[in-house]
Amino acid sequence: MTLKLDFLVFGAHADDAEIGMGGTIAKHAKAGCRIGVCDLTLAEMSSNGTIERRRAEAEEAARALGLASRSNLELPDRGLVSDPAFIQRIVAEIRLHRPRVVFAPYWEDRHPDHTACSRLVQEAVFNAKLRKYMPELPAHTVEETYFYFINDTAEPDVMIDVSSVYASKQASLRAYRSQFETSGADVVRTPLNQGYLERVEARDSLLGQKRSVAYAEGFITKLPYMPVRFQ
Ligand SMILES: [Zn+2]
């Protein structure tokens, strides 16, 4: 049984979606939207944590956000090259869930996997609407594609006030203890466990200041924004 989704959010690693748009997910899930997150890799190259632990953390984060589904394509971490087979996997995910809106990481980011994910998802959104591409699955046209920020930001085209659900975003991020915790004999220092969560909060707070709200998340679109289709 295929789960029809309103929003489908792609990330290279579990925690990308939460960092960029955990509040927007929580807010819309609370309002009744069916939202899924699809992680492209198991983040098996991460310095801290194991695949099993990260899977459990991703499930915990999914519950904190009220996700309708969470999937993992198990593509190679640090190997998200522009492979037609990878695009096909993403197209299949889009066609199975038939979302109205797709979200991908912003196309500029210091982590190459995030930019690679962005590029692969854009190609897949395009191919998903082509009837003669993978004809065994019905074609699907995604109405809107929005890009969320992970490490790097730009002036957003859209901002969502996430103040009322910020605790849910923080809970989803705290689920990734293997990435953000600083104690433990075998914990390797990475940017994620050196004040990263505080910086995410500061970023969301700073953006909120533009509209006098406590916290906001920003998005970029390559097409002119039509507000009635987003909320
Ligand atoms: Zn990531």
Side-chain angles (χ1 to χ4, degrees):
M1 179 68 185
T2 305
L3 187 63
K4 169 86 175 79
L5 297 172
D6 298 300
F7 296 175
L8 180 53
V9 184
F10 287 95
H13 321 102
D15 75 11
D16 290 346
E18 287 85 347
I19 291 167
M21 55 179 292
T24 300
I25 293 171
K27 183 174 184 175
H28 287 78
K30 208 171 166 185
C33 279
R34 299 182 68 81
I35 305 175
V37 170
C38 176
D39 307 309
L40 297 193
T41 79
L42 293 167
E44 65 271 20
M45 301 299 279
S46 292
S47 302
N48 293 309
T50 61
I51 289 174
E52 295 71 29
R53 189 164 173 204
R54 289 200 66 147
R55 271 192 201 278
E57 291 172 345
E59 284 306 315
E60 186 181 331
R63 285 192 294 276
L65 296 179
L67 290 182
S69 77
R70 181 154 215 157
S71 53
N72 196 304
L73 297 187
E74 301 189 17
L75 301 182
D77 193 15
R78 294 300 301 114
L80 292 178
V81 294
S82 191
D83 184 330
F86 296 170
I87 295 169
Q88 286 176 8
R89 296 283 308 281
I90 301 169
V91 168
E93 194 73 10
I94 292 170
R95 287 181 174 177
L96 286 172
H97 293 298
R98 312 187 75 71
R100 193 166 55 79
V101 185
V102 159
F103 293 85
Y106 177 46
W107 57 86
E108 285 180 16
D109 191 287
R110 70 164 182 258
H111 196 314
D113 284 353
H114 298 162
T115 53
C117 173
S118 185
R119 193 172 55 248
L120 286 167
V121 172
Q122 288 178 69
E123 295 224 32
V125 165
F126 189 90
N127 288 5
K129 67 187 173 198
L130 303 178
R131 279 186 308 129
K132 293 179 180 173
Y133 178 87
M134 292 170 63
E136 65 277 15
L137 288 172
H140 175 69
T141 300
V142 172
E143 290 178 34
E144 310 278 1
T145 303
Y146 289 96
F147 300 88
Y148 64 87
F149 303 119
I150 306 174
N151 294 311
D152 293 67
T153 60
E155 195 61 32
D157 296 319
V158 180
M159 63 176 269
I160 301 294
D161 176 5
V162 295
S163 311
S164 65
V165 291
Y166 208 73
S168 298
K169 172 170 184 164
Q170 290 176 310
S172 75
L173 286 168
R174 278 197 303 269
Y176 293 99
R177 283 176 288 280
S178 68
Q179 301 308 298
F180 298 119
E181 73 185 2
T182 52
S183 57
D186 55 351
V187 170
V188 178
R189 279 171 65 102
T190 71
L192 292 181
N193 58 29
Q194 302 300 309
Y196 194 88
L197 294 185
E198 290 77 4
R199 292 192 174 101
V200 169
E201 184 178 347
R203 178 196 68 185
D204 297 347
S205 167
L206 200 58
L207 181 59
Q209 188 186 33
K210 284 180 185 279
R211 296 281 239 166
S212 302
V213 300
Y215 296 105
E217 290 169 343
F219 299 88
I220 289 213
T221 170
K222 289 188 171 180
L223 297 172
Y225 171 52
M226 292 195 292
V228 71
R229 317 283 295 260
F230 186 78
Q231 292 271 26

